[in-house]
Every structure is written in C-alpha cells, then in structure tokens.
Amino acid sequence: AMERVDHFGFATVVRLRDVILPGPEWAGDQDLARVSRMEIGFNSLSLLTGNLALHDVTIDGAQLYLFRAADGRESWHGTTGRGGKGGGGLQDLVVRQSRLTYVDQKQDRRFTLQVASDPKAGLRLRGDGTIRGTSVQIAAQAPAISSVNEGKWPFDVRLTGRALTMHAKGIMAAPLDTEHMALEVTAEASDLKLVDAIIEAGLFRTQPVTLSASVRREPDKWLIDRLSGRIGRSDLSGKLVVNKEGERTKLDGSFESRQLDFDDLSSDEG
C-alpha cells in the first residue's frame, strides 16, 4: 500500500506499508526484504533526471535476508546493470525494530543482527552468528548514514567467540565503502583461516594466532603496513601486501622472527 502524506509541492513524502522485495529464484524461497512501514521524503523534480534525491527515510519493522551462494552470486546485486546514482543528499535515516539475516555459503558464515539507526545514536548492529562452525557475538557502531556524515566514515566492529575474537576500528572513504578504508585490527583465533573468513584475503590455515595490524584496503588488495604477533610458537613482525588476482592470492612482504617453526604455518591436518 502506498499513499502520499505531504501537502502539495515538490518536497514529496510517501508512506508505504507491507512492502515485499522478492529475491532471485536461485537464492531460495526467502524474500530479499519485507518492510512493515516506510516513509520516504524526496524531491519530485529529481525523478526527471533519474537521480532520486532523498532527504528523509524512516524504516520500521524491516526483515532483510542477504544470501551469497557458494559460487559467489549475491542476492542483493541485480543482473541488469546499475541505474543512476540514488540516495544523494540523504539528511536523516531512521531504522527501528529491524533485523538483518546474512547467509554466506562461500565463506561458511551466518549472522542474525538487530539493526537500528538514528541521527543522534548513529548506526548500530547487534547479534550473533557462526563463522566456519564457530559461534560469535557481533557488535558494530558507526555514524548514521546522512548528508551530515558524507565523506570519511568511522566505524567500530567487534566479534567475540571462543575460537575467534576480533576488533576493527577505522575509517572508510564513504559510508559502507569496504573497499576503501584504513583500520587498526587485533585478532585472536584458533586458526588464521577463521580470520580470513572475515577479511577474505585468501590466507591459509595455521596454528593458533594472536595478531595486531595497521591495515589499508583497496579494491582486490590488502596493504598491511604493520603486523606483529604470534602464530603457534613463532613470533613475527613485518609488513605484507595481499593481492587478489581472480581466484589466486599473491603475498609480497618482509618479516622478522626470533623464533620460527614452519610447522606453525599449517594446521594439524595440514
């Protein structure tokens, strides 16, 4: 159901109820999104240019289901190409009583997160999930997505579990731009591959790790300007560039170690 709730003019406000966005057939029976209620404010004239200019968006009771198949297909990306730029100039985004479910068969990850956002408290995600069979608690905080916070976007993310604990604090070049960011990371894990399930750098299985790093992210590339910690009994410090080329991962860097056991660079099975 849709109705216009503003007075006549070009500053339009539309209310929508019981919105359903189906997902692609290959992603299963789950809808991509179900929203109980939305109010969207926008400039009507922007529709003529194909560049929708939103100014206020309020979302209540959204249920989002994002799915990535084992072959890398993502249910939230269409197949017909991208249209014009949308959402420019968003002033206020408010999200209440909403939930995000993320299922990733490629990296064996599943999260269920409660999502809330408002201009004062910012964007907040809380919930739990599993990563390669390991249970984790998740908490993330960032400024609200709005015109006030355009440009550099600080964030803080924590994962806490018995076999994996990570903390990442940094700045993205723009809201949700995970391919252009700089961050400080600490991690403790029973296996480096658990850390890799988060950062997707194509790293290998190891003995238990304790690491800290200063990291920059570019498309298909991780630049680790400082890395220190332990893998098994081996200590290490240095720097590393992780370059993704198709399905291959190339590592280029330098390390120093006072005690190095090559057996630490593989799992017990390896």
Side-chain angles (χ1 to χ4, degrees):
M2 181 172 64
E3 61 178 324
R4 184 170 178 175
V5 297
D6 65 289
H7 299 295
F8 180 79
F10 294 115
T12 304
V13 180
V14 173
R15 180 181 296 145
L16 303 97
R17 297 182 185 275
D18 301 323
V19 179
I20 299 175
L21 282 73
E25 290 185 1
W26 57 262
D29 297 331
Q30 290 271 13
D31 292 313
L32 179 64
R34 286 177 170 262
V35 186
S36 296
R37 180 176 178 274
M38 299 174 65
E39 283 196 6
I40 301 174
F42 59 93
N43 186 326
S44 302
L45 292 177
S46 67
L47 296 175
L48 300 177
T49 66
N51 186 15
L52 180 62
L54 301 174
H55 52 75
D56 296 293
V57 176
T58 299
I59 299 173
D60 284 293
Q63 305 289 325
L64 306 178
Y65 179 77
L66 307 182
F67 178 78
R68 182 164 75 160
D71 60 9
R73 288 181 296 174
E74 298 169 332
S75 65
W76 59 96
H77 283 161
T79 59
T80 58
R82 298 179 181 178
K85 296 179 180 179
L90 180 62
Q91 295 175 7
D92 289 315
L93 171 66
V94 176
V95 180
R96 306 187 188 102
Q97 298 180 339
S98 296
R99 183 176 67 182
L100 167 66
T101 300
Y102 174 70
V103 177
D104 183 350
Q105 293 183 340
K106 185 174 183 178
Q107 289 291 345
D108 191 11
R109 306 181 296 194
R110 183 184 182 97
F111 307 133
T112 300
L113 304 172
Q114 300 300 317
V115 183
S117 181
D118 62 73
K120 290 185 178 180
L123 176 65
R124 305 168 314 278
L125 295 90
R126 300 287 187 276
D128 54 27
T130 59
I131 300 170
R132 297 181 178 267
T134 296
S135 298
V136 293
Q137 299 290 318
I138 304 162
Q141 179 85 33
I145 300 173
S146 72
S147 60
V148 176
N149 297 320
E150 287 181 345
K152 293 185 177 180
W153 199 59
F155 64 92
D156 190 293
V157 181
R158 295 179 184 270
L159 285 80
T160 306
R162 177 176 296 181
L164 172 64
T165 297
M166 290 185 68
H167 178 214
K169 185 174 183 179
I171 298 177
M172 296 182 188
L176 303 179
D177 184 1
T178 57
E179 291 199 336
H180 299 89
M181 60 181 177
L183 58 156
E184 296 290 325
V185 180
T186 58
E188 293 186 24
S190 60
D191 187 333
L192 184 62
K193 199 65 178 178
L194 281 176
V195 177
D196 187 66
I198 300 298
I199 65 175
E200 298 190 81
L203 301 178
F204 42 86
R205 297 196 62 186
T206 68
Q207 297 298 302
V209 301
T210 300
L211 300 171
S212 66
S214 296
V215 181
R216 289 177 291 136
R217 171 68 165 152
E218 298 178 358
D220 297 321
K221 184 181 294 186
W222 290 92
L223 298 100
I224 304 173
D225 298 320
R226 178 196 57 80
L227 176 66
S228 62
R230 302 189 68 85
I231 300 179
R233 295 162 293 180
S234 303
D235 68 290
L236 56 89
S237 61
K239 58 184 180 179
L240 182 68
V241 175
V242 183
N243 211 344
K244 292 281 287 183
E245 297 182 2
E247 293 299 317
R248 302 193 64 183
T249 300
K250 294 186 176 182
L251 308 178
D252 184 15
S254 60
F255 290 94
E256 293 183 0
S257 177
R258 293 168 297 177
Q259 176 174 297
L260 178 63
D261 186 340
F262 278 101
D263 287 343
D264 291 331
L265 303 182
S266 63
S267 64
D268 290 344
E269 293 84 353

